[in-house]
């Protein structure tokens, strides 16, 4: 199946599934409206919320950092991880944004993606096609060909279930030896310093509790005022991605702890001894101060706008540079915020579908128009 036929089928299925979810769970739309208001509060006072988040992470016994740019973030993560470690990743766009996996590998660490789609991309030396479904552009035959490298019993005629089982077996052998678990964060609660993550595979749960050090790296745009807002964000994100209810929602608030003796809370317990939160700026703070651009920071990375976009449906991952994990209409905005790269905006034909399906009601066409204007001034 070629890309155009594949994305046409997937887009139609996603549209119908999201419509079904919103009809069956009408409170999701209400949560989305409330979430937009709460996220805008943070965007309009981002410095204060960053400081609050860092203070509350440290109050819980964790460590928090504000990375100004990609180099700064790599340096912070590299110092925490060190060398000659086994590192397991869950899907994190910010890690792609800064080239973290390659950087840690260059420091003699063994690093593995544990999300199935990301793992397939890693072993096939590819690049994510979609922000939620990174291996969207791979067929069953493509996946089997990649997995054959770790399990010779797999071939292009293997069932999907057999391919998944082979990957699961391989990754389990890495989980039990991992020194460091690295995740992103779907949301960060400023009031408590807790992070929320949503998933279906179970790999994030393992990445956050089996290694003795957990590092979460995410953008400052993921900060929300309260833990209630963080839970709202993971539910809204999964619903508009067409994956609701999610199999797992994970909350991490500092390193592991126990209060089983005299109700005195002590740390660590069975899980990680160390928790580190790296908050990434990389252009986000500047965007929050730009009246034309700040609305882009409302994005919850559900990926729904991809499927509504005629350009993405033709170009796929070729729309943007392979040095960025951000694609589709929202990718135009995020490439400019994080890379100051306006050129992907030139492909936009302003169909407007992205605005219609966005749960945060971001006026994506207007933001892209602004980026086009900036790009035209630099010619």
């Amino acid at each position: 199946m070629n890309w155009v036929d594949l994305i046409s089928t997937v887009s139609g299925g996603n549209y119908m599934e999201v419509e079904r979810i919103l009809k069956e769970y009408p409170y999701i739309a209400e949560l989305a409206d409330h979430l937009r208001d709460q996220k805008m509060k943070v965007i309009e006072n981002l410095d204060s919320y960053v400081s609050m988040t860092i203070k509350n992470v440290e109050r819980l016994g964790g460590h928090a950092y504000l990375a100004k740019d990609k180099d700064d973030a790599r340096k912070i993560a590299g110092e925490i991880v060190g060398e000659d470690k086994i590192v397991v990743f869950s899907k994190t766009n910010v890690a792609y944004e800064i080239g973290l996996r390659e950087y840690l590998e260059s420091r003699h660490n063994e690093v593995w993606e544990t999300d199935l789609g990301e793992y397939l991309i890693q072993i096939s030396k590819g690049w994510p096609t979609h922000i939620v479904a990174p291996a969207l552009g791979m067929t069953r035959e493509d996946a089997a060909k990649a997995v054959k490298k770790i399990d010779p019993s797999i071939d292009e005629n293997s069932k999907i279930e057999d391919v998944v089982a082979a990957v699961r077996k391989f990754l389990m052998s890495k989980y039990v030896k991992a020194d460091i678990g690295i995740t992103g964060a779907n949301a960060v609660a400023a009031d408590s310093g807790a992070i929320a993550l949503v998933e279906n595979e179970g790999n994030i749960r393992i990445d956050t509790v089996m290694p003795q050090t957990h590092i979460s790296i995410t953008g400052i745009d993921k900060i929300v005022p309260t833990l209630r807002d963080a839970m709202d964000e993971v539910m809204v994100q999964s619903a508009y991605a067409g994956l609701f209810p999610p199999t797992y929602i994970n909350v991490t608030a500092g390193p592991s702890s126990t209060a089983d003796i005299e109700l005195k809370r002590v740390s660590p317990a069975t899980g990680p001894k160390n928790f580190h939160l790296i908050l990434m700026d990389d252009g986000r703070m500047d965007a929050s101060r730009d009246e034309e651009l700040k609305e882009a920071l409302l994005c919850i990375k559900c990926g729904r706008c991809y499927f509504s976009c005629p350009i993405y449906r033709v170009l796929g991952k070729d729309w943007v540079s392979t040095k960025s994990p951000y694609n589709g209409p929202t990718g135009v905005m995020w490439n400019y915020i994080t890379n100051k790269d306006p050129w992907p905006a030139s492909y936009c034909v302003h169909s407007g579908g992205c605005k219609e399906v966005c749960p945060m009601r971001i006026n994506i066409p207007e933001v892209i128009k602004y980026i086009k204007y900036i790009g035209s001034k630099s010619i």
Side-chain angles (χ1 to χ4, degrees), residues 160-213:
I160 292 176
E161 291 82 357
D162 295 332
V163 174
V164 173
V167 174
R168 182 178 187 276
K169 180 180 178 181
F170 176 84
L171 290 178
M172 288 303 296
S173 72
K174 301 301 177 182
Y175 288 135
V176 297
K177 299 176 182 178
D179 302 291
I180 312 286
I182 298 181
T183 71
N186 290 97
V188 182
D191 70 339
S192 59
I195 69 165
L197 287 154
V198 61
E199 61 161 333
N200 293 299
E201 295 180 22
N203 64 302
I204 290 178
R205 268 194 185 191
I206 299 174
D207 291 345
T208 58
V209 298
M210 285 190 68
Q212 286 299 288
T213 297

Side-chain angles (χ1 to χ4, degrees), residues 32 61 64 74 77 87 95 118 130 134 145 154 192 194 249 253 272 292 323:
R74 285 191 292 263
V87 184
E118 294 287 6
H130 187 273
K145 184 177 179 181
I154 299 296
S192 59
I249 292 176
E292 302 295 333
K323 295 186 182 299

Side-chain angles (χ1 to χ4, degrees), residues 278-352:
I278 304 174
L279 293 168
M280 184 73 169
D281 181 351
D282 203 27
R284 292 164 173 83
M285 195 69 76
D286 287 343
S288 74
R289 296 166 181 151
D290 186 325
E291 288 300 317
E292 302 295 333
L293 195 59
K294 69 179 183 181
E295 198 177 6
L297 300 178
L298 291 168
C299 177
I300 60 173
K301 312 297 191 299
C302 68
R304 196 177 182 215
C305 62
Y306 287 45
F307 297 133
S308 72
C309 177
I311 302 303
Y312 176 75
R313 289 170 69 144
V314 173
L315 295 180
K317 69 178 183 296
D318 294 329
W319 186 353
V320 298
S321 165
T322 55
K323 295 186 182 299
S324 170
Y326 307 115
N327 208 315
T330 193
V332 174
M333 301 187 296
W334 282 97
N335 268 287
Y336 184 73
I337 291 170
T338 61
N339 293 321
K340 295 298 181 283
D341 181 6
W343 77 261
S346 63
Y347 286 98
C348 177
V349 295
H350 295 277
S351 70

Side-chain angles (χ1 to χ4, degrees), residues 7-8 131 182 222 276 337 360:
I7 196 63
S8 178
I131 205 164
I182 298 181
K222 286 296 184 178
H276 301 266
I337 291 170
M360 293 293 97

Side-chain angles (χ1 to χ4, degrees), residues 224-254:
V224 290
T226 71
L227 184 54
R228 177 248 160 118
D229 300 322
M231 297 302 287
D232 284 354
E233 180 150 348
V234 298
M235 288 194 288
V236 173
Q237 194 271 353
S238 62
Y240 281 86
L243 299 166
F244 191 87
T247 307
Y248 303 106
I249 292 176
N250 306 286
V251 175
T252 297

